[in-house]
Amino acid sequence: MTRSAFVTRYVYGFDEPAAGGRELLGGKGVGLAEMTQLGVPVPAGFTITTDACRAYLREGEVPAGLDGEVDEHLARLEQQTGKRFGDLEDPLLVSVRSGAAVSMPGMMDSILNLGLSDTAADGLARTTGNPRFARDSYRRLMQMFGEVVDGVDGHRFEQALGDLKRERGVQQDVDLTADDLARLIETYKAIYLQETGGEFPQDARTQLRRAVLAVFESWKNPRAQVYRRTYAIPDDIGTAVNVVQMVFGNKGDRSATGVCFTRNPSTGEQGVYGEYLVNAQGEDVVAGIRTPQPVEEMRARLPEAYDQLLDTMARLEQHYRDMQDIEFTIEEGRLYLLQTRSAKRTAAAALKAAVDMTSEGLIGREEAIARIDPAALDQLLHPMLDPNAEFEVAARGLNASPGAASGAIVLDADTAEERGKAGESVILVGWETSPDDIHGMIQAKGVLTAHGGMTSHAAVVARGMGKPCVAGCDGLTIDAAAHTIRLGGHELREGDTITIDGGTGRVIVGEVALVPPQINEDFETVLGWADDVRRLRVRANADNPEDAAKAREFGAQGIGLCRTEHMFFGDRLPVVQEMILARDEEGRRAALDRLLPFQQSDFEAIFEAMAGLPVTIRLLDPPLHEFLPPIEEATDERMRRRIHALHEENPMLGTRGCRLGIQWPEIYEMQVRAIARAARAVRERTGEAPLVEIMHPLVAFKEELRRLRELTVEIMREEAPEIEYLCGTMIELPRAALRADEIAEYADFFSFGTNDLTQTTLGMSRDDAEGKFLTFYLEDGVLESNPFETLDQSGVGDLMRIGVERGRGAKPGLKLGICGEHGGEPRSVEFCHKLGLDYVSCSPYRVPLARLAAAQAVLKEAHRAEYVAAGG
Ligand code: PEP
Ligand code: MG
């Protein structure tokens, strides 16, 4: 049949090259096609494109031409396999599997064993000489088809299966005989009839057509929607559908099915790492219903298939140059791969695999850097159980996802979501989890399951989220109706506190102290490589010696923002209040004189912690009334009047920042004096002068900075003429960015305060947007991301660009940085690199992330340049 070049083609065989990649064929489809074309053993089949799905979702009907194309490809499949779909003696059976461009594990539906009917099941039993297998396959089809296509409540089938096992006195599904299964089929048929009002469809083509549409429809199911929202996957890309020749892992003792990683997804260590079940079909492994065996066990049981598996995995790693996550089936000793994809892994595993693959020569250093998700580095910085804490381990399970957490036991996802959102720490506890539990997992601090292995749903999803998970915990039983669990020897109620350690699999009753994690060698190695590549320097925001030391340990190259207001609280607050409430300048100065030694010792400690590295100290910024008690607590009338006078309707836009220093210069004088004396003292003590940078906040007019610079220079000259220092300003108001040329005249450096710059550019209060209308904006799609988290590049970013151009235009070589929260957010770091800033400054725990993101920005720029040079 010839087709016009303008007619969209909707179906591709696995052996047919297709332009369009994963966007068109989905991740699974591309993998199957690539493996087929590589010569890896995969079942034959074809992919219905995401174009077809989108057309169906848009129009509500199958696009013209699709049915004909499916028929053609089915005919090819019949040729390739030598069997006929719908045959009643030796039928070709197929599975229908979803597969979007972006991996969404378990979120959409798949149906196996299509093509079986009453008669065909009998035929298959005769042809294979294995009635048990034929009936087991048929009852599975009825169950999956019933649930996915007709929305029959799956529990009814499970219940019938459970009843039969109890009646027959057996534990496992595999212990049911062919006769038992014949009875089960009759029960299933009755359930199907009751629930749908019709007979289970006996025609193979009808089954296939309805199954494909159901997979299209499953794109819209609630759990897939929640997943897409969580991982920012667009709603309109749709899924592809793969129609694949069935191969059988449930044909007896020489058949099996499993999932396997080419390296350990928790640690990154080399070696085959996975689980399999003998005489079972794929969903038995993933659903965590039977606890599977480690894949190494296959070496003794199915040695040939095992060797072939190892060989295939090595080939796949070589081809993709990355760690793979595969699904396989062994049909009577013969291996088939059903899926391969780049493996989801913990940050620790990502680092180890990247470092190892670099030494193995599989990838280069730059690729190793590019592969690590900067945000995932955060996982490594998660807490662990305090090694000195004393506790009794109540039960043990698999160490499914690292990190430790304590929280209240919650037995269902809805409650976990509700209580987690209310700010409570909860641990979601269950027999297993399913994709329907995703909303509860998002809000829980950790997950504990009784069933399932390292590749069960709970384990895979928790690892992706960077949350602790202990799976397959033998000592755990749950009584959901009574809201109780048994954990080892303990009876616990819902709401009681437990602690889980996903790094070791330990479960403890009660709360255990946690400690920050250790950074390992791979972490240092990759960040060392990143340091060689990046141009941006990375500093930290820190205002005490402990944070400064932490920042240094994480590789900070200085302090980019030391907020001095934090030093005005605690036991100093009464003196600060005295200063603010003073009748006149003289009274203020008297109080400030008493504050000075405190400030000086604060600065000395920070300078010493950061010896050899620059420290940017920002003078007092917040509105003064933040330091005052509520008016009701005024002890006399004068105090009441003063508090009243200092009250502001919009304190964020009121008497704060340099406006304080302009109106009451003695405050900034005291601070500069404390800096000067501290620098002097440290130099005398250590022989090394600190690298001091004094920064003035909230400048809008050049006259403000002119006066403040004069004040700074005068005090520094008076107190510490030998100390070199820089005097600069934050750029955190739109006017300052616009008039950066004038302001630069009085500044040695600029630091973009993008928290305030976002607030003032967008007219969105930092304190009143998040959790209120901004949350609505994000949920409703008005905005794609929270501008206080990810820089608004086109708005706020444009002002920054103007600030950079005009500032450096007036003063070439002007030193530029950023110290708003965006300085530790990967996309914003890339933007700062492109703007040509000298450094970013962020919270100490984000320093590693910023180092990596800064290196990735360089690599992306280089790739873009190569692409352009190549005429792209
Ligand atoms: C800013 O505004 O971006 C900033 C760093 O200062 P602060 O958050 O202290 O206002
Ligand atoms: Mg600010």
Side-chain angles (χ1 to χ4, degrees):
M1 190 174 127
T2 52
R3 256 189 229 104
S4 145
F6 300 108
V7 173
T8 311
R9 180 172 170 189
Y10 292 118
V11 184
Y12 292 87
F14 295 161
D15 53 352
E16 295 178 292
R22 62 174 52 234
E23 274 70 38
L24 185 70
L25 300 177
K28 187 174 282 175
V30 160
L32 285 164
E34 271 182 352
M35 284 194 289
T36 305
Q37 289 159 38
L38 258 176
V40 168
V42 286
F46 54 88
T47 303
I48 303 172
T49 64
T50 55
D51 273 346
C53 175
R54 280 192 297 268
Y56 173 79
L57 293 175
R58 207 171 43 236
E59 309 296 337
E61 58 184 51
V62 170
L66 177 61
D67 287 338
E69 281 189 65
V70 168
D71 285 346
E72 273 176 46
H73 278 85
L74 210 47
R76 282 189 73 209
L77 190 58
E78 291 180 335
Q79 242 170 24
Q80 285 161 338
T81 58
K83 294 187 181 182
R84 214 173 54 77
F85 189 59
D87 193 276
L88 298 179
E89 207 45 45
D90 184 14
L92 165 65
L93 302 186
V94 297
S95 64
V96 157
R97 293 160 185 271
S98 60
V102 189
S103 155
M104 297 170 57
M107 289 299 136
M108 290 168 301
D109 294 317
S110 293
I111 303 173
L112 311 183
N113 305 336
L114 290 156
L116 280 175
S117 59
D118 294 353
T119 331
D122 288 344
L124 186 66
R126 278 192 298 276
T127 316
T128 58
N130 191 342
R132 195 199 171 281
F133 153 72
R135 290 174 192 164
D136 191 44
S137 303
Y138 188 31
R139 70 97 190 163
R140 285 169 191 272
L141 166 66
M142 293 171 79
Q143 178 166 355
M144 277 184 269
F145 192 93
E147 275 188 63
V148 174
V149 181
D150 292 300
V152 177
D153 180 2
H155 292 109
R156 293 213 55 190
F157 295 115
E158 287 298 339
Q159 182 101 40
L161 179 62
D163 288 349
L164 182 63
K165 283 199 288 191
R166 244 184 318 278
E167 190 195 313
R168 303 290 300 136
V170 299
Q171 292 288 326
Q172 309 262 11
D173 303 0
V174 285
D175 299 329
L176 293 173
T177 64
D179 288 344
D180 294 335
L181 291 169
R183 274 179 56 201
L184 189 61
I185 287 171
E186 292 312 312
T187 315
Y188 275 16
K189 278 187 179 167
I191 293 173
Y192 187 90
L193 181 63
Q194 258 176 24
E195 294 273 333
T196 67
E199 301 284 347
F200 185 76
Q202 297 291 306
D203 173 53
R205 297 282 170 139
T206 309
Q207 288 175 4
L208 179 61
R209 190 167 199 280
R210 294 191 57 202
V212 169
L213 296 191
V215 175
F216 284 165
E217 290 280 348
S218 71
W219 178 255
K220 297 188 292 193
N221 75 35
R223 61 176 197 247
Q225 289 186 27
V226 170
Y227 191 91
R228 288 200 292 273
R229 225 171 300 134
T230 307
Y231 291 99
I233 300 168
D235 263 331
D236 56 1
I237 55 177
T239 181
V241 180
N242 301 288
V243 178
V244 193
Q245 167 203 3
M246 281 301 304
V247 288
F248 293 97
N250 56 342
K251 262 191 173 173
D253 286 350
R254 294 192 56 244
S255 300
T257 185
V259 290
C260 194
F261 293 89
T262 55
R263 296 176 196 233
N264 183 322
S266 278
T267 64
E269 272 156 28
Q270 270 161 307
V272 5
Y273 190 83
E275 291 145 343
Y276 83 120
L277 278 171
V278 172
N279 200 9
Q281 279 198 328
E283 80 277 11
D284 296 342
V285 182
V286 187
I289 292 163
R290 278 162 62 192
T291 299
Q293 301 297 311
V295 158
E296 293 86 68
E297 237 227 347
M298 248 173 77
R299 190 199 294 270
R301 220 184 230 264
L302 296 162
E304 275 166 34
Y306 182 77
D307 287 347
Q308 216 191 337
L309 179 67
L310 288 200
D311 190 58
T312 305
M313 290 198 314
R315 271 171 74 191
L316 289 171
E317 263 210 359
Q318 284 290 335
H319 176 75
Y320 289 105
R321 293 162 52 247
D322 195 9
M323 177 170 159
Q324 298 293 299
D325 166 1
I326 64 172
E327 278 178 26
F328 65 90
T329 284
I330 296 163
E331 183 177 310
E332 300 186 315
R334 184 161 171 210
L335 175 77
Y336 290 95
L337 262 74
L338 303 181
Q339 171 165 314
T340 189
R341 60 186 174 197
S342 156
K344 277 198 194 295
R345 62 204 89 174
T346 62
L351 286 167
K352 173 145 187 60
V355 171
D356 286 353
M357 286 185 190
T358 307
S359 11
E360 289 159 28
L362 218 51
I363 58 175
R365 281 187 184 186
E366 294 195 345
E367 196 159 351
I369 294 169
R371 280 213 182 152
I372 312 291
D373 172 8
L377 284 186
D378 208 29
Q379 274 187 33
L380 289 181
L381 311 171
H382 279 326
M384 302 188 312
L385 296 186
D386 182 347
N388 298 317
E390 297 212 345
F391 52 78
E392 191 199 313
V393 176
R396 276 175 195 277
L398 298 168
N399 55 334
S401 176
S406 297
I409 298 168
V410 168
L411 298 180
D412 69 283
D414 290 347
T415 314
E417 180 182 40
E418 191 181 306
R419 293 174 63 170
K421 272 194 174 159
E424 219 185 311
S425 296
V426 299
I427 306 286
L428 182 61
V429 179
W431 290 108
E432 62 249 0
T433 63
S434 80
D436 278 332
D437 297 322
I438 190 96
H439 57 296
M441 296 179 76
I442 292 168
Q443 294 299 335
K445 290 277 182 279
V447 182
L448 169 65
T449 64
H451 290 160
M454 296 292 280
T455 45
S456 63
H457 178 265
V460 171
V461 173
R463 271 201 299 276
M465 292 179 175
K467 280 193 184 174
C469 173
V470 174
C473 179
D474 271 341
L476 171 67
T477 53
I478 296 150
D479 186 345
H483 296 276
T484 58
I485 66 167
R486 269 200 86 73
L487 189 66
H490 304 259
E491 265 295 335
L492 301 173
R493 304 198 59 75
E494 195 163 24
D496 289 349
T497 301
I498 54 168
T499 299
I500 61 170
D501 179 4
T504 60
R506 291 174 295 180
V507 185
I508 300 127
V509 176
E511 191 168 339
V512 180
L514 305 180
V515 292
Q518 305 298 310
I519 298 171
N520 68 20
E521 217 175 291
D522 302 314
F523 185 93
E524 299 290 0
T525 305
V526 171
L527 286 175
W529 293 343
D531 292 345
D532 293 341
V533 169
R534 70 187 158 93
R535 182 192 55 72
L536 270 177
R537 298 175 74 78
V538 177
R539 296 194 190 186
N541 296 353
D543 45 37
N544 59 61
E546 295 75 41
D547 286 359
K550 182 101 270 173
R552 228 188 152 129
E553 193 189 311
F554 286 153
Q557 294 164 291
I559 289 181
L561 175 63
C562 171
R563 294 178 166 104
T564 50
E565 50 271 19
H566 296 167
M567 302 162 183
F568 277 44
F569 287 95
D571 51 4
R572 300 153 189 196
L573 190 59
V575 192
V576 174
Q577 293 183 340
E578 208 179 298
M579 183 262 295
I580 298 168
L581 294 169
R583 215 179 287 272
D584 50 22
E585 186 182 328
E586 196 185 334
R588 260 193 310 274
R589 283 193 184 273
L592 285 164
D593 283 349
R594 285 164 56 211
L595 280 174
L596 192 145
F598 289 121
Q599 279 268 271
Q600 182 179 335
S601 69
D602 293 331
F603 296 146
E604 283 181 32
I606 290 173
F607 287 151
E608 284 192 28
M610 296 307 285
L613 298 174
V615 177
T616 308
I617 295 175
R618 181 183 73 187
L619 304 188
L620 197 66
D621 180 47
L624 286 184
H625 81 255
E626 280 191 12
F627 297 108
L628 291 178
I631 201 151
E632 311 79 59
E633 287 172 26
T635 48
D636 57 43
E637 182 52 23
R638 198 184 67 81
M639 186 170 175
R640 212 190 66 79
R641 275 208 309 275
R642 189 77 180 129
I643 295 173
H644 185 72
L646 287 169
H647 171 80
E648 292 175 323
E649 293 299 337
N650 280 315
M652 273 293 188
L653 303 177
T655 314
R656 59 168 289 217
C658 68
R659 299 163 195 173
L660 293 165
I662 301 272
Q663 203 173 339
W664 297 299
E666 53 278 11
I667 299 179
Y668 277 17
E669 262 177 55
M670 180 280 282
Q671 290 197 292
V672 176
R673 210 176 293 282
I675 293 170
R677 290 184 188 176
R680 201 163 196 189
V682 168
R683 189 177 114 135
E684 272 161 24
R685 201 159 45 238
T686 66
E688 194 180 358
L691 304 176
V692 182
E693 300 180 352
I694 299 172
M695 179 155 79
H696 297 280
L698 217 77
V699 163
F701 305 95
K702 73 168 179 180
E703 176 60 12
E704 290 169 327
L705 193 61
R706 191 196 63 75
R707 290 185 187 195
L708 294 175
R709 185 180 182 93
E710 199 173 275
L711 174 153
T712 307
V713 170
E714 203 176 292
I715 305 281
M716 287 302 288
R717 191 185 303 124
E718 205 178 290
E719 292 285 345
E722 75 285 13
I723 298 289
E724 288 180 26
Y725 65 95
L726 301 180
C727 175
T729 181
M730 299 194 60
I731 299 290
E732 51 184 345
L733 292 173
R735 189 180 197 286
L738 295 169
R739 294 273 58 93
D741 46 351
E742 296 169 0
I743 291 172
E745 197 182 324
Y746 301 105
D748 302 321
F749 66 89
F750 284 170
S751 178
F752 287 96
T754 46
N755 303 333
D756 273 309
L757 193 57
T758 299
Q759 164 168 264
T760 48
T761 302
L762 275 58
M764 280 188 189
S765 160
R766 283 162 70 169
D767 301 324
D768 301 316
E770 287 163 300
K772 299 195 178 122
F773 71 89
L774 183 55
T775 309
F776 176 79
Y777 264 37
L778 292 168
E779 279 170 4
D780 221 44
V782 179
L783 289 180
E784 262 174 28
S785 54
N786 176 351
F788 290 104
E789 217 170 271
T790 306
L791 191 77
D792 161 37
Q793 294 185 12
S794 53
V796 176
D798 236 22
L799 278 171
M800 290 173 72
R801 192 189 328 274
I802 290 171
V804 169
E805 281 165 13
R806 297 192 183 166
R808 285 213 175 123
K811 188 177 268 182
L814 180 70
K815 185 165 169 177
L816 299 173
I818 176 176
C819 62
E821 287 306 303
H822 307 95
E825 193 279 325
R827 276 181 285 172
S828 314
V829 171
E830 187 189 348
F831 180 77
C832 292
H833 168 83
K834 284 195 269 184
L835 263 192
L837 299 195
D838 295 298
Y839 67 87
V840 296
S841 188
C842 56
S843 79
Y845 276 87
R846 285 176 142 198
V847 165
L849 173 168
R851 288 162 67 193
L852 185 64
Q856 290 181 347
V858 173
L859 298 178
K860 277 193 203 164
E861 195 172 60
H863 283 145
R864 259 191 308 272
E866 260 171 42
Y867 180 71
V868 172

